[in-house]
mmCIF file with all atom_site columns, all heavy atoms in Angstrom:
data_model
loop_
_atom_site.group_PDB
_atom_site.id
_atom_site.type_symbol
_atom_site.label_atom_id
_atom_site.label_alt_id
_atom_site.label_comp_id
_atom_site.label_asym_id
_atom_site.label_entity_id
_atom_site.label_seq_id
_atom_site.pdbx_PDB_ins_code
_atom_site.Cartn_x
_atom_site.Cartn_y
_atom_site.Cartn_z
_atom_site.occupancy
_atom_site.B_iso_or_equiv
_atom_site.pdbx_formal_charge
_atom_site.auth_seq_id
_atom_site.auth_comp_id
_atom_site.auth_asym_id
_atom_site.auth_atom_id
_atom_site.pdbx_PDB_model_num
ATOM 1   N N   . GLY D 1 1  ? 0.859   -1.218  -0.030  1.00 93.00 ? 1  GLY D N   1
ATOM 2   C CA  . GLY D 1 1  ? -0.024  0.041   0.004   1.00 93.00 ? 1  GLY D CA  1
ATOM 3   C C   . GLY D 1 1  ? 0.858   1.255   0.008   1.00 93.00 ? 1  GLY D C   1
ATOM 4   O O   . GLY D 1 1  ? 0.407   2.323   -0.471  1.00 93.00 ? 1  GLY D O   1
ATOM 5   N N   . PHE D 1 2  ? 2.032   1.186   0.566   1.00 94.00 ? 2  PHE D N   1
ATOM 6   C CA  . PHE D 1 2  ? 2.944   2.297   0.542   1.00 94.00 ? 2  PHE D CA  1
ATOM 7   C C   . PHE D 1 2  ? 3.900   2.372   -0.626  1.00 94.00 ? 2  PHE D C   1
ATOM 8   O O   . PHE D 1 2  ? 4.341   3.397   -1.046  1.00 94.00 ? 2  PHE D O   1
ATOM 9   C CB  . PHE D 1 2  ? 3.820   2.276   1.832   1.00 94.00 ? 2  PHE D CB  1
ATOM 10  C CG  . PHE D 1 2  ? 3.023   2.532   3.069   1.00 94.00 ? 2  PHE D CG  1
ATOM 11  C CD1 . PHE D 1 2  ? 2.836   1.483   4.040   1.00 94.00 ? 2  PHE D CD1 1
ATOM 12  C CD2 . PHE D 1 2  ? 2.556   3.792   3.394   1.00 94.00 ? 2  PHE D CD2 1
ATOM 13  C CE1 . PHE D 1 2  ? 2.160   1.754   5.186   1.00 94.00 ? 2  PHE D CE1 1
ATOM 14  C CE2 . PHE D 1 2  ? 1.829   4.021   4.549   1.00 94.00 ? 2  PHE D CE2 1
ATOM 15  C CZ  . PHE D 1 2  ? 1.703   3.017   5.466   1.00 94.00 ? 2  PHE D CZ  1
ATOM 16  N N   . TYR D 1 3  ? 4.270   1.159   -1.071  1.00 93.00 ? 3  TYR D N   1
ATOM 17  C CA  . TYR D 1 3  ? 5.380   1.059   -2.066  1.00 93.00 ? 3  TYR D CA  1
ATOM 18  C C   . TYR D 1 3  ? 4.945   0.527   -3.428  1.00 93.00 ? 3  TYR D C   1
ATOM 19  O O   . TYR D 1 3  ? 4.439   1.250   -4.294  1.00 93.00 ? 3  TYR D O   1
ATOM 20  C CB  . TYR D 1 3  ? 6.543   0.279   -1.503  1.00 93.00 ? 3  TYR D CB  1
ATOM 21  C CG  . TYR D 1 3  ? 7.089   0.846   -0.235  1.00 93.00 ? 3  TYR D CG  1
ATOM 22  C CD1 . TYR D 1 3  ? 6.946   0.204   0.957   1.00 93.00 ? 3  TYR D CD1 1
ATOM 23  C CD2 . TYR D 1 3  ? 7.755   2.075   -0.263  1.00 93.00 ? 3  TYR D CD2 1
ATOM 24  C CE1 . TYR D 1 3  ? 7.433   0.791   2.113   1.00 93.00 ? 3  TYR D CE1 1
ATOM 25  C CE2 . TYR D 1 3  ? 8.293   2.668   0.887   1.00 93.00 ? 3  TYR D CE2 1
ATOM 26  C CZ  . TYR D 1 3  ? 8.132   2.020   2.101   1.00 93.00 ? 3  TYR D CZ  1
ATOM 27  O OH  . TYR D 1 3  ? 8.637   2.557   3.236   1.00 93.00 ? 3  TYR D OH  1
ATOM 28  N N   . LYS D 1 4  ? 5.114   -0.673  -3.638  1.00 93.00 ? 4  LYS D N   1
ATOM 29  C CA  . LYS D 1 4  ? 4.988   -1.348  -4.953  1.00 93.00 ? 4  LYS D CA  1
ATOM 30  C C   . LYS D 1 4  ? 3.794   -2.259  -5.100  1.00 93.00 ? 4  LYS D C   1
ATOM 31  O O   . LYS D 1 4  ? 3.441   -3.014  -4.237  1.00 93.00 ? 4  LYS D O   1
ATOM 32  C CB  . LYS D 1 4  ? 6.263   -2.192  -5.254  1.00 93.00 ? 4  LYS D CB  1
ATOM 33  C CG  . LYS D 1 4  ? 7.563   -1.397  -5.174  1.00 93.00 ? 4  LYS D CG  1
ATOM 34  C CD  . LYS D 1 4  ? 7.706   -0.500  -6.351  1.00 93.00 ? 4  LYS D CD  1
ATOM 35  C CE  . LYS D 1 4  ? 9.085   0.129   -6.319  1.00 93.00 ? 4  LYS D CE  1
ATOM 36  N NZ  . LYS D 1 4  ? 9.402   1.005   -7.385  1.00 93.00 ? 4  LYS D NZ  1
ATOM 37  N N   . ASP D 1 5  ? 3.223   -2.186  -6.314  1.00 92.00 ? 5  ASP D N   1
ATOM 38  C CA  . ASP D 1 5  ? 2.051   -3.019  -6.662  1.00 92.00 ? 5  ASP D CA  1
ATOM 39  C C   . ASP D 1 5  ? 2.395   -4.522  -6.543  1.00 92.00 ? 5  ASP D C   1
ATOM 40  O O   . ASP D 1 5  ? 1.588   -5.305  -6.051  1.00 92.00 ? 5  ASP D O   1
ATOM 41  C CB  . ASP D 1 5  ? 1.712   -2.682  -8.091  1.00 92.00 ? 5  ASP D CB  1
ATOM 42  C CG  . ASP D 1 5  ? 0.417   -3.440  -8.567  1.00 92.00 ? 5  ASP D CG  1
ATOM 43  O OD1 . ASP D 1 5  ? -0.626  -3.077  -8.106  1.00 92.00 ? 5  ASP D OD1 1
ATOM 44  O OD2 . ASP D 1 5  ? 0.630   -4.351  -9.384  1.00 92.00 ? 5  ASP D OD2 1
ATOM 45  N N   . TRP D 1 6  ? 3.647   -4.938  -6.922  1.00 96.00 ? 6  TRP D N   1
ATOM 46  C CA  . TRP D 1 6  ? 3.974   -6.333  -6.918  1.00 96.00 ? 6  TRP D CA  1
ATOM 47  C C   . TRP D 1 6  ? 3.968   -6.830  -5.437  1.00 96.00 ? 6  TRP D C   1
ATOM 48  O O   . TRP D 1 6  ? 3.663   -8.031  -5.241  1.00 96.00 ? 6  TRP D O   1
ATOM 49  C CB  . TRP D 1 6  ? 5.298   -6.569  -7.554  1.00 96.00 ? 6  TRP D CB  1
ATOM 50  C CG  . TRP D 1 6  ? 6.541   -5.982  -6.816  1.00 96.00 ? 6  TRP D CG  1
ATOM 51  C CD1 . TRP D 1 6  ? 7.101   -4.827  -7.179  1.00 96.00 ? 6  TRP D CD1 1
ATOM 52  C CD2 . TRP D 1 6  ? 7.266   -6.603  -5.785  1.00 96.00 ? 6  TRP D CD2 1
ATOM 53  N NE1 . TRP D 1 6  ? 8.186   -4.567  -6.336  1.00 96.00 ? 6  TRP D NE1 1
ATOM 54  C CE2 . TRP D 1 6  ? 8.330   -5.672  -5.492  1.00 96.00 ? 6  TRP D CE2 1
ATOM 55  C CE3 . TRP D 1 6  ? 7.142   -7.765  -5.025  1.00 96.00 ? 6  TRP D CE3 1
ATOM 56  C CZ2 . TRP D 1 6  ? 9.217   -5.920  -4.500  1.00 96.00 ? 6  TRP D CZ2 1
ATOM 57  C CZ3 . TRP D 1 6  ? 8.034   -8.020  -4.011  1.00 96.00 ? 6  TRP D CZ3 1
ATOM 58  C CH2 . TRP D 1 6  ? 9.062   -7.069  -3.731  1.00 96.00 ? 6  TRP D CH2 1
ATOM 59  N N   . MET D 1 7  ? 4.211   -6.041  -4.471  1.00 96.00 ? 7  MET D N   1
ATOM 60  C CA  . MET D 1 7  ? 4.189   -6.457  -3.057  1.00 96.00 ? 7  MET D CA  1
ATOM 61  C C   . MET D 1 7  ? 2.757   -6.848  -2.605  1.00 96.00 ? 7  MET D C   1
ATOM 62  O O   . MET D 1 7  ? 2.581   -7.837  -2.011  1.00 96.00 ? 7  MET D O   1
ATOM 63  C CB  . MET D 1 7  ? 4.690   -5.305  -2.146  1.00 96.00 ? 7  MET D CB  1
ATOM 64  C CG  . MET D 1 7  ? 6.148   -4.997  -2.297  1.00 96.00 ? 7  MET D CG  1
ATOM 65  S SD  . MET D 1 7  ? 6.561   -3.536  -1.351  1.00 96.00 ? 7  MET D SD  1
ATOM 66  C CE  . MET D 1 7  ? 8.186   -3.917  -0.899  1.00 96.00 ? 7  MET D CE  1
ATOM 67  N N   . THR D 1 8  ? 1.809   -6.012  -3.027  1.00 96.00 ? 8  THR D N   1
ATOM 68  C CA  . THR D 1 8  ? 0.390   -6.250  -2.722  1.00 96.00 ? 8  THR D CA  1
ATOM 69  C C   . THR D 1 8  ? 0.012   -7.619  -3.349  1.00 96.00 ? 8  THR D C   1
ATOM 70  O O   . THR D 1 8  ? -0.583  -8.472  -2.731  1.00 96.00 ? 8  THR D O   1
ATOM 71  C CB  . THR D 1 8  ? -0.539  -5.189  -3.248  1.00 96.00 ? 8  THR D CB  1
ATOM 72  O OG1 . THR D 1 8  ? -0.193  -3.938  -2.599  1.00 96.00 ? 8  THR D OG1 1
ATOM 73  C CG2 . THR D 1 8  ? -1.979  -5.512  -3.082  1.00 96.00 ? 8  THR D CG2 1
ATOM 74  N N   . ARG D 1 9  ? 0.303   -7.770  -4.642  1.00 97.00 ? 9  ARG D N   1
ATOM 75  C CA  . ARG D 1 9  ? -0.104  -8.957  -5.367  1.00 97.00 ? 9  ARG D CA  1
ATOM 76  C C   . ARG D 1 9  ? 0.625   -10.242 -4.867  1.00 97.00 ? 9  ARG D C   1
ATOM 77  O O   . ARG D 1 9  ? 0.022   -11.283 -4.732  1.00 97.00 ? 9  ARG D O   1
ATOM 78  C CB  . ARG D 1 9  ? 0.115   -8.762  -6.852  1.00 97.00 ? 9  ARG D CB  1
ATOM 79  C CG  . ARG D 1 9  ? -0.799  -7.684  -7.401  1.00 97.00 ? 9  ARG D CG  1
ATOM 80  C CD  . ARG D 1 9  ? -0.681  -7.439  -8.855  1.00 97.00 ? 9  ARG D CD  1
ATOM 81  N NE  . ARG D 1 9  ? -1.622  -6.442  -9.175  1.00 97.00 ? 9  ARG D NE  1
ATOM 82  C CZ  . ARG D 1 9  ? -2.096  -6.208  -10.345 1.00 97.00 ? 9  ARG D CZ  1
ATOM 83  N NH1 . ARG D 1 9  ? -1.746  -6.971  -11.396 1.00 97.00 ? 9  ARG D NH1 1
ATOM 84  N NH2 . ARG D 1 9  ? -2.949  -5.220  -10.590 1.00 97.00 ? 9  ARG D NH2 1
ATOM 85  N N   . LEU D 1 10 ? 1.886   -10.127 -4.553  1.00 97.00 ? 10 LEU D N   1
ATOM 86  C CA  . LEU D 1 10 ? 2.620   -11.318 -4.059  1.00 97.00 ? 10 LEU D CA  1
ATOM 87  C C   . LEU D 1 10 ? 2.057   -11.662 -2.701  1.00 97.00 ? 10 LEU D C   1
ATOM 88  O O   . LEU D 1 10 ? 1.887   -12.873 -2.421  1.00 97.00 ? 10 LEU D O   1
ATOM 89  C CB  . LEU D 1 10 ? 4.106   -10.991 -4.012  1.00 97.00 ? 10 LEU D CB  1
ATOM 90  C CG  . LEU D 1 10 ? 4.988   -12.120 -3.481  1.00 97.00 ? 10 LEU D CG  1
ATOM 91  C CD1 . LEU D 1 10 ? 4.853   -13.377 -4.289  1.00 97.00 ? 10 LEU D CD1 1
ATOM 92  C CD2 . LEU D 1 10 ? 6.445   -11.682 -3.374  1.00 97.00 ? 10 LEU D CD2 1
ATOM 93  N N   . GLY D 1 11 ? 1.846   -10.709 -1.843  1.00 97.00 ? 11 GLY D N   1
ATOM 94  C CA  . GLY D 1 11 ? 1.267   -11.009 -0.504  1.00 97.00 ? 11 GLY D CA  1
ATOM 95  C C   . GLY D 1 11 ? -0.060  -11.675 -0.636  1.00 97.00 ? 11 GLY D C   1
ATOM 96  O O   . GLY D 1 11 ? -0.298  -12.690 0.100   1.00 97.00 ? 11 GLY D O   1
ATOM 97  N N   . ALA D 1 12 ? -0.934  -11.199 -1.486  1.00 97.00 ? 12 ALA D N   1
ATOM 98  C CA  . ALA D 1 12 ? -2.250  -11.883 -1.680  1.00 97.00 ? 12 ALA D CA  1
ATOM 99  C C   . ALA D 1 12 ? -2.097  -13.259 -2.257  1.00 97.00 ? 12 ALA D C   1
ATOM 100 O O   . ALA D 1 12 ? -2.694  -14.227 -1.802  1.00 97.00 ? 12 ALA D O   1
ATOM 101 C CB  . ALA D 1 12 ? -3.096  -11.031 -2.576  1.00 97.00 ? 12 ALA D CB  1
ATOM 102 N N   . LEU D 1 13 ? -1.172  -13.401 -3.238  1.00 97.00 ? 13 LEU D N   1
ATOM 103 C CA  . LEU D 1 13 ? -0.911  -14.720 -3.850  1.00 97.00 ? 13 LEU D CA  1
ATOM 104 C C   . LEU D 1 13 ? -0.399  -15.730 -2.831  1.00 97.00 ? 13 LEU D C   1
ATOM 105 O O   . LEU D 1 13 ? -0.744  -16.943 -2.909  1.00 97.00 ? 13 LEU D O   1
ATOM 106 C CB  . LEU D 1 13 ? 0.059   -14.575 -5.004  1.00 97.00 ? 13 LEU D CB  1
ATOM 107 C CG  . LEU D 1 13 ? 0.359   -15.748 -5.841  1.00 97.00 ? 13 LEU D CG  1
ATOM 108 C CD1 . LEU D 1 13 ? -0.944  -16.284 -6.506  1.00 97.00 ? 13 LEU D CD1 1
ATOM 109 C CD2 . LEU D 1 13 ? 1.404   -15.489 -6.887  1.00 97.00 ? 13 LEU D CD2 1
ATOM 110 N N   . MET D 1 14 ? 0.464   -15.238 -1.925  1.00 97.00 ? 14 MET D N   1
ATOM 111 C CA  . MET D 1 14 ? 0.959   -16.161 -0.850  1.00 97.00 ? 14 MET D CA  1
ATOM 112 C C   . MET D 1 14 ? -0.148  -16.612 0.092   1.00 97.00 ? 14 MET D C   1
ATOM 113 O O   . MET D 1 14 ? -0.084  -17.753 0.559   1.00 97.00 ? 14 MET D O   1
ATOM 114 C CB  . MET D 1 14 ? 2.026   -15.433 -0.016  1.00 97.00 ? 14 MET D CB  1
ATOM 115 C CG  . MET D 1 14 ? 3.300   -15.159 -0.756  1.00 97.00 ? 14 MET D CG  1
ATOM 116 S SD  . MET D 1 14 ? 4.443   -14.137 0.162   1.00 97.00 ? 14 MET D SD  1
ATOM 117 C CE  . MET D 1 14 ? 4.982   -15.283 1.429   1.00 97.00 ? 14 MET D CE  1
ATOM 118 N N   . LEU D 1 15 ? -1.092  -15.737 0.387   1.00 97.00 ? 15 LEU D N   1
ATOM 119 C CA  . LEU D 1 15 ? -2.104  -16.136 1.368   1.00 97.00 ? 15 LEU D CA  1
ATOM 120 C C   . LEU D 1 15 ? -3.272  -16.947 0.791   1.00 97.00 ? 15 LEU D C   1
ATOM 121 O O   . LEU D 1 15 ? -3.951  -17.634 1.525   1.00 97.00 ? 15 LEU D O   1
ATOM 122 C CB  . LEU D 1 15 ? -2.669  -14.861 1.984   1.00 97.00 ? 15 LEU D CB  1
ATOM 123 C CG  . LEU D 1 15 ? -1.715  -14.044 2.840   1.00 97.00 ? 15 LEU D CG  1
ATOM 124 C CD1 . LEU D 1 15 ? -2.301  -12.735 3.308   1.00 97.00 ? 15 LEU D CD1 1
ATOM 125 C CD2 . LEU D 1 15 ? -1.162  -14.854 4.004   1.00 97.00 ? 15 LEU D CD2 1
ATOM 126 N N   . ILE D 1 16 ? -3.475  -16.884 -0.524  1.00 97.00 ? 16 ILE D N   1
ATOM 127 C CA  . ILE D 1 16 ? -4.605  -17.624 -1.117  1.00 97.00 ? 16 ILE D CA  1
ATOM 128 C C   . ILE D 1 16 ? -4.472  -19.133 -0.842  1.00 97.00 ? 16 ILE D C   1
ATOM 129 O O   . ILE D 1 16 ? -5.507  -19.728 -0.430  1.00 97.00 ? 16 ILE D O   1
ATOM 130 C CB  . ILE D 1 16 ? -4.729  -17.265 -2.606  1.00 97.00 ? 16 ILE D CB  1
ATOM 131 C CG1 . ILE D 1 16 ? -5.322  -15.862 -2.783  1.00 97.00 ? 16 ILE D CG1 1
ATOM 132 C CG2 . ILE D 1 16 ? -5.614  -18.251 -3.347  1.00 97.00 ? 16 ILE D CG2 1
ATOM 133 C CD1 . ILE D 1 16 ? -5.295  -15.285 -4.180  1.00 97.00 ? 16 ILE D CD1 1
ATOM 134 N N   . PRO D 1 17 ? -3.365  -19.774 -1.127  1.00 96.00 ? 17 PRO D N   1
ATOM 135 C CA  . PRO D 1 17 ? -3.328  -21.209 -0.841  1.00 96.00 ? 17 PRO D CA  1
ATOM 136 C C   . PRO D 1 17 ? -3.573  -21.588 0.664   1.00 96.00 ? 17 PRO D C   1
ATOM 137 O O   . PRO D 1 17 ? -4.133  -22.574 0.976   1.00 96.00 ? 17 PRO D O   1
ATOM 138 C CB  . PRO D 1 17 ? -1.913  -21.649 -1.269  1.00 96.00 ? 17 PRO D CB  1
ATOM 139 C CG  . PRO D 1 17 ? -1.448  -20.561 -2.156  1.00 96.00 ? 17 PRO D CG  1
ATOM 140 C CD  . PRO D 1 17 ? -2.158  -19.316 -1.736  1.00 96.00 ? 17 PRO D CD  1
ATOM 141 N N   . VAL D 1 18 ? -3.118  -20.688 1.537   1.00 95.00 ? 18 VAL D N   1
ATOM 142 C CA  . VAL D 1 18 ? -3.301  -20.903 2.964   1.00 95.00 ? 18 VAL D CA  1
ATOM 143 C C   . VAL D 1 18 ? -4.786  -20.914 3.260   1.00 95.00 ? 18 VAL D C   1
ATOM 144 O O   . VAL D 1 18 ? -5.328  -21.783 3.981   1.00 95.00 ? 18 VAL D O   1
ATOM 145 C CB  . VAL D 1 18 ? -2.627  -19.784 3.772   1.00 95.00 ? 18 VAL D CB  1
ATOM 146 C CG1 . VAL D 1 18 ? -3.007  -19.874 5.281   1.00 95.00 ? 18 VAL D CG1 1
ATOM 147 C CG2 . VAL D 1 18 ? -1.110  -19.883 3.648   1.00 95.00 ? 18 VAL D CG2 1
ATOM 148 N N   . MET D 1 19 ? -5.537  -19.959 2.707   1.00 92.00 ? 19 MET D N   1
ATOM 149 C CA  . MET D 1 19 ? -6.966  -19.817 2.961   1.00 92.00 ? 19 MET D CA  1
ATOM 150 C C   . MET D 1 19 ? -7.745  -21.014 2.282   1.00 92.00 ? 19 MET D C   1
ATOM 151 O O   . MET D 1 19 ? -8.693  -21.554 2.891   1.00 92.00 ? 19 MET D O   1
ATOM 152 C CB  . MET D 1 19 ? -7.494  -18.516 2.449   1.00 92.00 ? 19 MET D CB  1
ATOM 153 C CG  . MET D 1 19 ? -8.716  -18.016 3.173   1.00 92.00 ? 19 MET D CG  1
ATOM 154 S SD  . MET D 1 19 ? -8.446  -17.556 4.849   1.00 92.00 ? 19 MET D SD  1
ATOM 155 C CE  . MET D 1 19 ? -8.614  -19.028 5.776   1.00 92.00 ? 19 MET D CE  1
ATOM 156 N N   . VAL D 1 20 ? -7.362  -21.360 1.095   1.00 93.00 ? 20 VAL D N   1
ATOM 157 C CA  . VAL D 1 20 ? -8.038  -22.520 0.451   1.00 93.00 ? 20 VAL D CA  1
ATOM 158 C C   . VAL D 1 20 ? -7.751  -23.740 1.242   1.00 93.00 ? 20 VAL D C   1
ATOM 159 O O   . VAL D 1 20 ? -8.670  -24.542 1.432   1.00 93.00 ? 20 VAL D O   1
ATOM 160 C CB  . VAL D 1 20 ? -7.532  -22.650 -1.036  1.00 93.00 ? 20 VAL D CB  1
ATOM 161 C CG1 . VAL D 1 20 ? -7.994  -23.989 -1.600  1.00 93.00 ? 20 VAL D CG1 1
ATOM 162 C CG2 . VAL D 1 20 ? -7.962  -21.523 -1.905  1.00 93.00 ? 20 VAL D CG2 1
ATOM 163 N N   . GLY D 1 21 ? -6.542  -23.960 1.711   1.00 90.00 ? 21 GLY D N   1
ATOM 164 C CA  . GLY D 1 21 ? -6.239  -25.143 2.567   1.00 90.00 ? 21 GLY D CA  1
ATOM 165 C C   . GLY D 1 21 ? -7.068  -25.131 3.792   1.00 90.00 ? 21 GLY D C   1
ATOM 166 O O   . GLY D 1 21 ? -7.567  -26.176 4.212   1.00 90.00 ? 21 GLY D O   1
ATOM 167 N N   . ALA D 1 22 ? -7.207  -23.981 4.495   1.00 85.00 ? 22 ALA D N   1
ATOM 168 C CA  . ALA D 1 22 ? -7.987  -23.958 5.724   1.00 85.00 ? 22 ALA D CA  1
ATOM 169 C C   . ALA D 1 22 ? -9.466  -24.262 5.436   1.00 85.00 ? 22 ALA D C   1
ATOM 170 O O   . ALA D 1 22 ? -10.111 -24.961 6.212   1.00 85.00 ? 22 ALA D O   1
ATOM 171 C CB  . ALA D 1 22 ? -7.911  -22.530 6.367   1.00 85.00 ? 22 ALA D CB  1
ATOM 172 N N   . ILE D 1 23 ? -9.972  -23.739 4.350   1.00 83.00 ? 23 ILE D N   1
ATOM 173 C CA  . ILE D 1 23 ? -11.386 -24.016 3.993   1.00 83.00 ? 23 ILE D CA  1
ATOM 174 C C   . ILE D 1 23 ? -11.613 -25.481 3.661   1.00 83.00 ? 23 ILE D C   1
ATOM 175 O O   . ILE D 1 23 ? -12.485 -26.091 4.268   1.00 83.00 ? 23 ILE D O   1
ATOM 176 C CB  . ILE D 1 23 ? -11.797 -23.126 2.784   1.00 83.00 ? 23 ILE D CB  1
ATOM 177 C CG1 . ILE D 1 23 ? -11.898 -21.673 3.182   1.00 83.00 ? 23 ILE D CG1 1
ATOM 178 C CG2 . ILE D 1 23 ? -13.179 -23.601 2.199   1.00 83.00 ? 23 ILE D CG2 1
ATOM 179 C CD1 . ILE D 1 23 ? -11.995 -20.687 2.018   1.00 83.00 ? 23 ILE D CD1 1
ATOM 180 N N   . VAL D 1 24 ? -10.738 -26.051 2.865   1.00 84.00 ? 24 VAL D N   1
ATOM 181 C CA  . VAL D 1 24 ? -10.901 -27.442 2.439   1.00 84.00 ? 24 VAL D CA  1
ATOM 182 C C   . VAL D 1 24 ? -10.610 -28.448 3.615   1.00 84.00 ? 24 VAL D C   1
ATOM 183 O O   . VAL D 1 24 ? -11.373 -29.356 3.867   1.00 84.00 ? 24 VAL D O   1
ATOM 184 C CB  . VAL D 1 24 ? -10.057 -27.758 1.239   1.00 84.00 ? 24 VAL D CB  1
ATOM 185 C CG1 . VAL D 1 24 ? -10.028 -29.271 0.932   1.00 84.00 ? 24 VAL D CG1 1
ATOM 186 C CG2 . VAL D 1 24 ? -10.487 -26.992 0.042   1.00 84.00 ? 24 VAL D CG2 1
ATOM 187 N N   . LEU D 1 25 ? -9.534  -28.179 4.327   1.00 80.00 ? 25 LEU D N   1
ATOM 188 C CA  . LEU D 1 25 ? -9.140  -29.145 5.378   1.00 80.00 ? 25 LEU D CA  1
ATOM 189 C C   . LEU D 1 25 ? -9.874  -29.008 6.693   1.00 80.00 ? 25 LEU D C   1
ATOM 190 O O   . LEU D 1 25 ? -9.978  -30.008 7.434   1.00 80.00 ? 25 LEU D O   1
ATOM 191 C CB  . LEU D 1 25 ? -7.642  -29.050 5.615   1.00 80.00 ? 25 LEU D CB  1
ATOM 192 C CG  . LEU D 1 25 ? -6.753  -29.370 4.415   1.00 80.00 ? 25 LEU D CG  1
ATOM 193 C CD1 . LEU D 1 25 ? -5.290  -29.086 4.737   1.00 80.00 ? 25 LEU D CD1 1
ATOM 194 C CD2 . LEU D 1 25 ? -6.959  -30.801 3.970   1.00 80.00 ? 25 LEU D CD2 1
ATOM 195 N N   . VAL D 1 26 ? -10.321 -27.803 7.044   1.00 75.00 ? 26 VAL D N   1
ATOM 196 C CA  . VAL D 1 26 ? -10.881 -27.562 8.345   1.00 75.00 ? 26 VAL D CA  1
ATOM 197 C C   . VAL D 1 26 ? -12.358 -27.154 8.330   1.00 75.00 ? 26 VAL D C   1
ATOM 198 O O   . VAL D 1 26 ? -13.185 -27.652 9.120   1.00 75.00 ? 26 VAL D O   1
ATOM 199 C CB  . VAL D 1 26 ? -10.062 -26.503 9.141   1.00 75.00 ? 26 VAL D CB  1
ATOM 200 C CG1 . VAL D 1 26 ? -10.670 -26.258 10.509  1.00 75.00 ? 26 VAL D CG1 1
ATOM 201 C CG2 . VAL D 1 26 ? -8.611  -26.967 9.230   1.00 75.00 ? 26 VAL D CG2 1
ATOM 202 N N   . HIS D 1 27 ? -12.750 -26.296 7.466   1.00 71.00 ? 27 HIS D N   1
ATOM 203 C CA  . HIS D 1 27 ? -14.057 -25.637 7.505   1.00 71.00 ? 27 HIS D CA  1
ATOM 204 C C   . HIS D 1 27 ? -15.086 -26.143 6.484   1.00 71.00 ? 27 HIS D C   1
ATOM 205 O O   . HIS D 1 27 ? -16.252 -25.699 6.522   1.00 71.00 ? 27 HIS D O   1
ATOM 206 C CB  . HIS D 1 27 ? -13.869 -24.143 7.419   1.00 71.00 ? 27 HIS D CB  1
ATOM 207 C CG  . HIS D 1 27 ? -12.954 -23.581 8.419   1.00 71.00 ? 27 HIS D CG  1
ATOM 208 N ND1 . HIS D 1 27 ? -13.322 -23.359 9.728   1.00 71.00 ? 27 HIS D ND1 1
ATOM 209 C CD2 . HIS D 1 27 ? -11.663 -23.206 8.356   1.00 71.00 ? 27 HIS D CD2 1
ATOM 210 C CE1 . HIS D 1 27 ? -12.300 -22.846 10.424  1.00 71.00 ? 27 HIS D CE1 1
ATOM 211 N NE2 . HIS D 1 27 ? -11.269 -22.753 9.618   1.00 71.00 ? 27 HIS D NE2 1
ATOM 212 N N   . TRP D 1 28 ? -14.694 -26.969 5.547   1.00 71.00 ? 28 TRP D N   1
ATOM 213 C CA  . TRP D 1 28 ? -15.546 -27.316 4.439   1.00 71.00 ? 28 TRP D CA  1
ATOM 214 C C   . TRP D 1 28 ? -16.789 -28.043 4.996   1.00 71.00 ? 28 TRP D C   1
ATOM 215 O O   . TRP D 1 28 ? -16.716 -28.842 5.938   1.00 71.00 ? 28 TRP D O   1
ATOM 216 C CB  . TRP D 1 28 ? -14.812 -28.279 3.501   1.00 71.00 ? 28 TRP D CB  1
ATOM 217 C CG  . TRP D 1 28 ? -15.585 -28.515 2.256   1.00 71.00 ? 28 TRP D CG  1
ATOM 218 C CD1 . TRP D 1 28 ? -16.303 -29.567 1.923   1.00 71.00 ? 28 TRP D CD1 1
ATOM 219 C CD2 . TRP D 1 28 ? -15.690 -27.573 1.125   1.00 71.00 ? 28 TRP D CD2 1
ATOM 220 N NE1 . TRP D 1 28 ? -16.869 -29.426 0.676   1.00 71.00 ? 28 TRP D NE1 1
ATOM 221 C CE2 . TRP D 1 28 ? -16.493 -28.229 0.152   1.00 71.00 ? 28 TRP D CE2 1
ATOM 222 C CE3 . TRP D 1 28 ? -15.207 -26.345 0.858   1.00 71.00 ? 28 TRP D CE3 1
ATOM 223 C CZ2 . TRP D 1 28 ? -16.813 -27.632 -1.012  1.00 71.00 ? 28 TRP D CZ2 1
ATOM 224 C CZ3 . TRP D 1 28 ? -15.481 -25.735 -0.323  1.00 71.00 ? 28 TRP D CZ3 1
ATOM 225 C CH2 . TRP D 1 28 ? -16.269 -26.394 -1.235  1.00 71.00 ? 28 TRP D CH2 1
ATOM 226 N N   . GLY D 1 29 ? -17.920 -27.743 4.372   1.00 68.00 ? 29 GLY D N   1
ATOM 227 C CA  . GLY D 1 29 ? -19.171 -28.482 4.672   1.00 68.00 ? 29 GLY D CA  1
ATOM 228 C C   . GLY D 1 29 ? -20.054 -27.765 5.623   1.00 68.00 ? 29 GLY D C   1
ATOM 229 O O   . GLY D 1 29 ? -21.183 -28.208 5.920   1.00 68.00 ? 29 GLY D O   1
#
């Protein structure tokens, strides 16, 4: 938010698999 666009996108890209994993492995259903 302060510096570079790629930082925002990389940060989001890093967190997406974590969230998908939490949904599928723990919270699904």
Side-chain angles (χ1 to χ4, degrees):
F2 292 110
Y3 300 110
K4 304 284 186 179
D5 184 72
W6 67 264
M7 294 172 146
T8 297
R9 292 180 182 204
L10 179 59
L13 185 62
M14 290 173 72
L15 295 176
I16 287 171
V18 172
M19 205 69 274
V20 170
I23 290 167
V24 171
L25 297 174
V26 179
H27 303 282
W28 191 258

